Every structure is written in structure tokens, then in C-alpha cells.
Amino acid sequence: MTSRNGGGVGRSAGPKAIALIGPFGSGKTTLMEAILARTGAIHKQGTVGDGSSVGDSAAEARAHAMSVELNVAETSFMDERITLLDCPGSVEFSYESEAVLDAVDCAIVVAEPDEKKVAALQLILKRLEARGIPRILFLNKIDKSDKGVRETLTLLQPASAVPLLLRHIPIRQHDVVTGFVDLALERAFVYREYAPSELIDMTDEVRAAEARERYALLEKLADYDDSLMEELLEDVEPSREHVLADLVTDMRAGLVCPVLIGSALHGHGIGRLLKAIRHEAPDIAATAERLGLEDGSEAIVQVIKTLHTGHAGKLSVARVMRGTIADGTELIGPEGSVGRISGLMRLLGQQASKREPASAGEVVGLGKLDGAATGMTLATGKQPPVQLAPLERPEPVIALAIAPGERKDETKLSTALGRLAEENPSLVISQDEETGEIRIGGQGEMHLRVAIERLAARYGLKVETRPPSIPYRETVRGEATVRGRHKKQSGGHGQFGDCVLEIRPQRRGNGFLFEDAITGGVVPRNYIPAIEAGVQDVLKRGPLGFPVVDVAVKLTDGSYHAVDSSDQAFRTAAQIGMREALEACTPVLLEPVLRVSVSVPSEASSRVNMMVTQRRGQLLGFDAKKDWPGWDVVEAEIPESEMRGLIVELRSATAGVGTYTSRFDHLAELTGRLAEQVSVKKGTRAA
């Protein structure tokens, strides 16, 4: 504990960047709309439902009634600039906020009194706690809650590693929330629709509730302040300044998370929230210190989002962390120059307008920095800057093979996919070397659906999609000795090659082995590499239609012709012998098996166990997730062919929060009806 002696924390100066983050459907975009309306950035508060909001104005967002990308809007409150960064709530689009969170001063966590969303709230709070980002919880939709605010806080507390500190309590009349009491200010307010709340006198009933909850607030603050504890023990009423100073200090230090209440849809609680942002949220100086940015003469900017606009080209949304930048400023990244700024933009949803030079703390759009990427730290000067918050791309949990509807669009598709992945780095584009198919991987079914919709809407591309090919393999169970002989005579030199091959299976995972056991020069040394090449040619596609693995081949005998033998003749002879050998050695199909780690709330663990067994998987065990109370990690082995649709089923069973990681573990034999089905599909596809 510390002794603060009532010392206040002054208001942070300068432009602020505030993340709005919370579970899907909690009302983040509506809250941004309410703030923009209250601060005069827009004339009237729109709604997400009727498509009139500044945020979620992209066609895909409105079609699916959900945020699918970052929404950015600048406003001002009491002459202080504030940039709001509204982050998607769905776990499928949560990577949009990764680069954002490192660059903001404070997060407003939007939650609602819904038990089903506690796990999703925990996911978000964990990310903020890990980064040390100060946060305020805005308890939204308070007008629809049938729970008491203290009951709601008890419900939500397991999601937070630090105390959720009730700052406001509602005032109810006939079970309708009509206003609130600010426990720190000891003042009561009545809500006014889409307008500032009005100060009112407290009734005796409200005053009794306020005294009870205020004392609980003071007790919690006293855990971190010795002088406040002494005042409480001596029944001395602490000054309002002392209480406010403790609230600010403890919130910025990440010791507590204050809880404010309101209704974004009706504009309730917005004024109090704005004052908390202005007076209590830290500023760019504190954020730069948190990121380890030292003083210097060069300007530093952090890229938090990349956009490709139809009219203006590439736009990098970035926060100025230090110094000043202007149109025409040249910036350098980790590997050299990324270009010269061609247009400095102020952002309000999808609207961008030219603006004056930007200084530390401001969030701006930077035009046509071709070398810049989301997550990069850029600087003026000649030396590449230290990267403040490098991004780690998440592994995909779902993938599709994708191809253009018309062959002429192959190049266009490649360019479009590259731009989509640049805008959203959690989209992973790859090409399978074996099949040649292009794959698009993402964080969920909706994630991929939106990407495909954008290919059509932005680039006019019709594409065909299907599940990716499974990399089956085959091997042999038996042994065989065969002679491969190739003899052909036509005018001039003929062709002659002759080799004897012994084939046997290898232990699983030992791969291919070629042994040369020739004695007496029956096959000249210079032809042996051609024989090995011929063997490997056949291993690329075995009798069942897949690459052959874990096979040993020994060259034991053969013959040659002084005139007609050649590398090509022996390569052909080896191919002939190897095809015969594989048929004779009882070929068997192998399927890839993945090691899967599933992370879910504990109540869903039993359902995950059922999913594993229903997918021919093997449970390896489960354990509590470290430092995640109420969560488990289930370990299993599941055939890759059975992974299709797992993430959809998992999200359905966990209110959208379950996820997994996977990696190749081993190959296992596949026999019977399932093996026959694979062979039939392979034959049909090859035909």
C-alpha cells in the first residue's frame, strides 16, 4: 500500500486515442455514435440497425449487422481532441484490435449484464491486462437490465483479474432506470434523452444506497492507500479530491477497473464517460513510456490499420507517438524507406478529409506509403526505428481452397487477395506446392465469408471455393524384389536399361532411403543417380494416387549395353520396376493426424470431449488453463480430414469464444470404407 495524502493527479493534456472494445453485440459502435453526436461531430445520432451510423458503414458490416473491421472517428470534447477506435467484438475479427491496443491511451470496455458474455469479456480484459492498458468498464444497456447493479458486478467480476470498482449506481423509479449517482462526486443525475443529464437532489432512499456503495468504493481504494485507510478507521470523511485522485492513480496503474453505467442507444451516461476520458485517462506521454519510447528529435508514428480505398489508393491509419508529421514527410521503416506521405487525412468513419500537420497523440490517415504495413513503427530521419509493438499473426483455424471463376482472372485474384491480407493480416494466403491450389485461411467461417464478399464487391471477382485437399500419403506393408527392364530398338542407337530393386517398408517417419549395393560393375556408377531419380519419380504418385513415404529401395543387380545404355534408359527402367514393386508390396493409405489444443470455458469441456470422439479423435487429457480461472485446455489428436467444421461447432458450443491451435503430429494408416472413399474421390478428381 502507498500513502498519497490526498495528492491529486492532474488532467492529462494533448490529443487522446481511446479504444472502444467489448464482446460482440455489446453496443460499441452505438456508443461511438452517441459520443460523436454529443460532441457535435455529427448532427444526429444514427443507429446500427437502420444503417445510419458512422461506424459499420461498410457493405459487409451492414449486411451481417456486425463490425467486421476497425472504425475510426475523431472528435473533440471541451477543446480536447479525442480519436475513438471502435474494435470489432467477434473473436473472428478480434485481430483488428491487436495493433490498435498497443497505441491507445485507455480502453473503454463496453459490456452488458449478460451472463453468456462473461467469457468473451474475460478474453478482452486479459488482452488489456497483459499490455498494462488502463481501462474503464462502461456497463451498457442499463435500461434493459433486470438485475441489480451489485448483482451484475458480481456476475462480471470473474472476467477481470483486478477489482471492478462501481463508480455509478442507477436510480430506479417503478423498475425503470431514470438516472444515476456518481459515488465519487456524491451527486445524483437524471437522464435526458440524447442530452446531458441534469443534477437532482437525492431522496432518502437513494442517499442510503449511495452511502452504502460509496463506502464499499472507499474500502477498495483504501487497499492501495494507507492514508485513506487511516481516515476510514478514524471515521474521517475523505475529501472529494482525495477520492478522485485515488481513482485516477489506481486506474492508470491497472490496480482497479472503474465501472460507469449508461445506455448508448439513448445517449445516457455519455457526458460522465467523456469527462472520465478527459480527466482520468492518461495521454500520449504515458503511452509512449509504456511502450518504451524514449525522447528524441525524430518523429515516430505507429501504423494501426491499412486500408485500400477505391479513389485514393493505400491509406495507412497511424498514431503519431512523438514529434510532428506533415504532407510530404518521408518515413522510414524497419527495412528502409516506406515512402513519402501523399496526403494527410482526418478520419470520420469511411470519410476522409485533408488536414493540417499532425502532432504527438493524433491519429491520422497517411496516403500512399507503399512500404508501410499494419503494426510497423515508422520514423523520420535516416535510422530505422525500434519496432514498438511487432505483431504476431495468428494461425488460421479454418481454410478454403479458392480459384477464380474464369481463368483470365488469376492475376487479378492474386492482387486482390494480397490487398485483403494487407488490410487484415489475420487472413493468410498460401499456395500448396503439391496441389497448386491457392488457400485462404482465417479465424472463422464469417471471417472468410466477408473476405469472399469483398472480392466480389470491390474487385468484381467471382470465385469458386471448396475445402482444401487433405495431404494423404501412402506406404507399403510388404517387401518385393523386381527387375525393371527397358529395351527399345529403333534406327541408330537403341535404349537399354536393366536394374533389380529390393523394396521394403521403413518405420513410420523415417522417410525414403536409397541404397546402392552394386558389385562388380554390373551397372556403371554414372547410371546409379538416374536409377534413384526414376525411383523417386514413381514415389510422387503411388498406386492409390498419393505420394509414397517411408520406403527403402536397394539396387542389387542389373546390366547395361555399351552403346544403347543411357541415363534416360536407366531412369525409365527404374520407373517400370518401381511401379510393379509398389503394386506387389500391399500399398496402404496414410492420413495426417493433428495435435490439437482446444481452449474453452470449463463448462464446455465435456462437449469438446464429445466433439473429439465423434471425429475419430483421441483424447490425451485436459487441464486448467494457466492464469485463466474458469477455462480448460483439452489436448487431443484428430485426423486432419475430420477437422472440417470443428471451429464452427466449437464456437457454437461456447458462445463464440472457444478456439484451438493445431499442428501436424504423425501419419496413421487408414483402411476399410474410409480409405476406399478417399481413393474414389482422388480418382474422380484426377479424372
Side-chain angles (χ1 to χ4, degrees):
M1 291 192 295
T2 59
S3 180
R4 298 187 181 120
N5 299 317
V9 176
R11 179 179 68 81
S12 298
K16 292 182 179 178
I18 306 297
L20 303 180
I21 191 167
F24 169 70
S26 56
K28 301 175 295 299
T29 304
T30 302
L31 178 61
M32 184 172 83
E33 191 77 10
I35 291 174
L36 295 176
R38 183 63 58 84
T39 55
I42 56 178
H43 296 300
K44 180 183 177 183
Q45 181 173 336
T47 66
V48 174
D50 65 13
S52 60
S53 59
V54 169
D56 288 355
S57 55
E60 298 81 17
R62 288 185 172 165
H64 299 293
M66 64 185 296
S67 297
V68 298
E69 62 188 341
L70 177 70
N71 295 310
V72 184
E74 182 183 311
T75 188
S76 61
F77 177 67
M78 298 177 70
D79 297 323
E80 185 168 286
R81 287 186 182 178
I82 300 171
T83 300
L84 303 171
L85 300 145
D86 169 27
C87 303
S90 167
V91 68
E92 297 191 27
F93 299 94
S94 63
Y95 193 76
E96 283 280 303
S97 62
E98 283 297 294
V100 172
L101 294 180
D102 287 312
V104 298
D105 303 316
C106 181
I108 304 301
V109 182
V110 185
E112 55 184 312
D114 185 347
E115 186 175 8
K116 295 178 181 178
K117 295 186 177 181
V118 173
L121 179 63
Q122 186 178 11
L123 282 176
I124 290 160
L125 290 174
K126 277 287 185 184
R127 294 166 68 199
L128 299 173
E129 291 160 5
R131 288 172 165 84
I133 298 172
R135 51 209 171 272
I136 295 170
L137 192 143
F138 182 77
L139 186 57
N140 194 23
K141 306 180 184 179
I142 194 67
D143 53 316
K144 295 183 179 180
S145 175
D146 57 358
K147 296 183 176 68
V149 70
R150 177 57 61 184
E151 181 186 357
T152 299
L153 221 60
T154 301
L155 176 73
L156 300 182
Q157 182 60 61
S160 176
V162 302
L164 296 177
L165 200 58
L166 194 60
R167 173 79 178 266
H168 294 164
I169 60 171
I171 297 174
R172 297 178 185 268
Q173 288 186 0
H174 308 295
D175 294 327
V176 176
V177 177
T178 58
F180 69 98
V181 178
D182 188 311
L183 300 176
L185 298 177
E186 296 184 278
R187 292 175 180 171
F189 300 85
V190 64
Y191 289 135
R192 293 287 181 250
E193 197 84 353
Y194 307 114
S197 303
E198 292 183 9
L199 185 66
I200 59 170
D201 292 329
M202 285 186 254
T203 64
D204 291 342
E205 182 181 2
V206 170
R207 189 174 297 281
E210 183 272 339
R212 185 170 58 252
E213 293 296 346
R214 176 177 164 82
Y215 190 78
L217 169 75
L218 297 178
E219 278 191 314
K220 185 54 64 177
L221 291 175
D223 288 343
Y224 311 104
D225 184 351
D226 290 344
S227 63
L228 180 59
M229 178 68 77
E230 291 174 4
E231 289 179 339
L232 293 182
L233 291 174
E234 295 172 3
D235 288 331
V236 174
E237 180 65 24
S239 68
R240 185 177 299 164
E241 292 74 16
H242 190 169
V243 174
L244 288 170
D246 275 5
L247 276 168
V248 174
T249 301
D250 294 347
M251 184 271 287
R252 292 185 185 178
L255 298 174
V256 300
C257 177
V259 178
L260 280 60
I261 65 172
S263 169
L265 183 62
H266 299 288
H268 296 162
I270 305 305
R272 288 287 110 189
L273 179 60
L274 281 165
K275 289 181 179 178
I277 290 171
R278 184 173 191 267
H279 294 283
E280 299 170 25
D283 61 8
I284 185 62
T287 302
E289 182 179 356
R290 171 167 57 82
L291 293 175
L293 179 60
E294 299 176 353
D295 292 337
S297 57
E298 297 86 3
I300 300 289
V301 301
Q302 185 72 17
V303 181
I304 60 176
K305 175 68 177 173
T306 302
L307 300 169
H308 285 276
T309 62
H311 56 283
K314 182 175 177 178
L315 191 69
S316 300
V317 181
R319 190 174 194 204
V320 183
M321 307 302 294
R322 188 180 74 195
T324 301
I325 58 171
D327 194 3
T329 298
E330 185 171 358
L331 294 173
I332 189 170
E335 298 179 359
S337 175
V338 299
R340 194 178 297 275
I341 299 172
S342 179
L344 204 67
M345 314 301 288
R346 176 174 285 108
L347 304 172
L348 185 69
Q350 291 200 327
Q351 300 175 17
S353 56
K354 288 191 175 182
R355 54 156 297 157
E356 69 282 357
S359 57
E362 295 186 273
V363 176
V364 293
L366 309 176
K368 299 182 180 178
L369 292 179
D370 291 337
T374 302
M376 269 190 190
T377 304
L378 310 177
T380 55
K382 297 182 178 180
Q383 294 299 319
V386 174
Q387 297 301 293
L388 297 177
L391 290 179
E392 291 186 12
R393 180 180 293 186
E395 290 295 322
V397 296
I398 189 172
L400 287 172
I402 185 170
E406 299 182 36
R407 190 160 219 164
K408 65 181 179 63
D409 288 334
E410 286 182 352
T411 301
K412 187 177 179 182
L413 175 62
S414 178
T415 300
L417 287 174
R419 288 180 176 176
L420 289 185
E422 194 174 17
E423 288 185 337
N424 186 346
S426 60
L427 277 176
V428 179
I429 313 300
S430 61
Q431 186 164 17
D432 186 87
E433 292 183 3
E434 184 179 319
T435 64
E437 65 186 15
I438 298 172
R439 295 178 180 177
I440 178 170
Q443 297 304 302
E445 188 180 38
M446 183 61 71
H447 192 204
L448 296 188
R449 184 184 302 174
V450 167
I452 291 165
E453 288 172 356
R454 285 185 169 169
L455 289 174
R458 293 188 186 180
Y459 303 101
L461 280 166
K462 293 183 179 180
V463 297
E464 298 173 354
T465 62
R466 60 175 176 80
S469 301
I470 304 298
Y472 292 103
R473 296 292 182 262
E474 56 183 276
T475 191
V476 296
R477 285 179 176 165
E479 300 181 6
T481 300
V482 298
R483 179 179 291 275
R485 187 179 178 89
H486 174 60
K487 183 178 180 180
K488 186 174 182 181
Q489 193 68 44
S490 57
H493 287 301
Q495 298 180 40
F496 182 83
D498 176 37
C499 58
V500 177
L501 305 172
E502 290 182 1
I503 294 88
R504 68 181 188 275
Q506 290 252 81
R507 291 183 61 184
R508 191 78 67 244
N510 280 12
F512 168 66
L513 174 66
F514 182 81
E515 300 173 275
D516 172 16
I518 291 295
T519 58
V522 293
V523 177
R525 291 286 167 199
N526 55 302
Y527 294 138
I528 292 175
I531 294 172
E532 182 176 358
V535 168
Q536 291 191 353
D537 288 341
V538 176
L539 295 181
K540 292 176 182 177
R541 182 182 172 91
L544 303 178
F546 298 95
V548 182
V549 297
D550 301 335
V551 171
V553 178
K554 181 188 290 187
L555 174 62
T556 62
D557 200 359
S559 61
Y560 73 101
H561 189 279
V563 176
D564 293 342
S565 288
S566 65
D567 283 344
Q568 185 57 49
F570 271 102
R571 185 167 186 163
T572 302
Q575 292 171 351
I576 292 169
M578 199 64 199
R579 289 192 187 98
E580 181 183 341
L582 291 178
E583 292 284 3
C585 287
T586 316
V588 61
L589 195 65
L590 300 175
E591 66 172 345
V593 177
L594 306 183
R595 175 70 180 259
V596 183
S597 296
V598 185
S599 177
V600 291
S602 300
E603 62 267 19
S605 293
S606 59
R607 297 184 67 181
V608 171
N609 294 345
M610 291 178 59
M611 292 179 203
V612 171
T613 56
Q614 289 169 354
R615 294 169 182 270
R616 297 192 293 119
Q618 179 181 354
L619 284 165
L620 302 178
F622 73 94
D623 202 353
K625 189 173 182 179
K626 186 178 180 182
D627 299 326
W628 282 72
W631 284 69
D632 287 339
V633 175
V634 180
E635 298 286 347
E637 290 178 351
I638 304 176
E640 185 173 342
S641 62
E642 299 288 348
M643 294 292 290
R644 193 171 299 160
L646 175 60
I647 192 63
V648 177
E649 188 178 357
L650 189 60
R651 296 265 165 81
S652 176
T654 59
V657 298
T659 192
Y660 68 81
T661 59
S662 64
R663 57 177 173 80
F664 172 78
D665 190 78
H666 66 277
L667 292 169
E669 284 193 16
L670 184 64
T671 58
R673 182 177 55 83
L674 291 174
E676 291 173 3
Q677 290 175 347
V678 171
S679 297
V680 168
K681 288 180 182 178
K682 180 69 173 180
T684 302
R685 185 169 295 172

